[in-house]
Amino acid sequence: QVQLVESGGGLVQAGGSQRLSCAASGRTFSSYAMGWFRQAPGKEREFVARISRSGVTTKYADSVKGRFTISRDNAKNTVYLQMNSLKPEDTAVYYCAADRGTTPTMALGSYDYWGQGTQVTVSS
């Protein structure tokens, strides 16, 4: 079992930056690939970014490529999402998720554990 707790959300102006953190419990954090997803009001939850167990391989949604960076620190059991050049359309609840599978995936159903989410609001 893995418990995930996100933090770092809040209100930011368009063009600004914010860093989200996701702290994981347990000793097996490095056994999981990690992902970030988001859900805007009235919309379905969507993939944002993924990082492999070692942190070497990353993948991004086209909408955030070049602006967001996912990283992890396995010694601290934490995954991060650095968000730059934020836009009002980035406003959403952001969730981190853990995937114990071996196939890289953006599919929500492939992730085994989820955090409770943190709200990010980008004002214009």
Side-chain angles (χ1 to χ4, degrees):
Q1 187 98 13
V2 176
Q3 292 185 326
L4 304 172
V5 179
E6 302 96 336
S7 61
L11 177 65
V12 62
Q13 288 190 331
S17 297
Q18 201 157 32
R19 188 175 84 155
L20 304 182
S21 299
C22 173
S25 66
R27 302 179 181 178
T28 59
F29 177 71
S30 61
S31 299
Y32 295 87
M34 298 297 295
W36 284 97
F37 293 78
R38 66 185 181 185
Q39 188 167 17
K43 295 188 176 181
E44 294 185 350
R45 194 171 300 188
E46 64 176 5
F47 170 80
V48 174
R50 175 185 172 95
I51 189 166
S52 63
R53 289 160 180 75
S54 65
V56 170
T57 303
T58 57
K59 187 174 181 66
Y60 298 92
D62 289 342
S63 59
V64 307
K65 201 172 295 183
R67 299 188 298 123
F68 290 12
T69 301
I70 188 171
S71 62
R72 67 189 295 163
D73 185 337
N74 286 343
K76 295 183 178 179
N77 283 11
T78 302
V79 61
Y80 305 97
L81 186 68
Q82 177 67 44
M83 305 184 293
N84 299 328
S85 303
L86 283 162
K87 305 175 181 179
E89 51 263 44
D90 294 318
T91 294
V93 177
Y94 283 72
Y95 300 88
C96 70
D99 176 16
R100 60 187 173 191
T102 57
T103 302
T105 178
M106 299 180 289
L108 276 69
S110 296
Y111 288 76
D112 302 288
Y113 302 103
W114 292 81
Q116 83 290 346
T118 185
Q119 175 71 48
V120 173
T121 303
V122 184
S123 64
S124 58

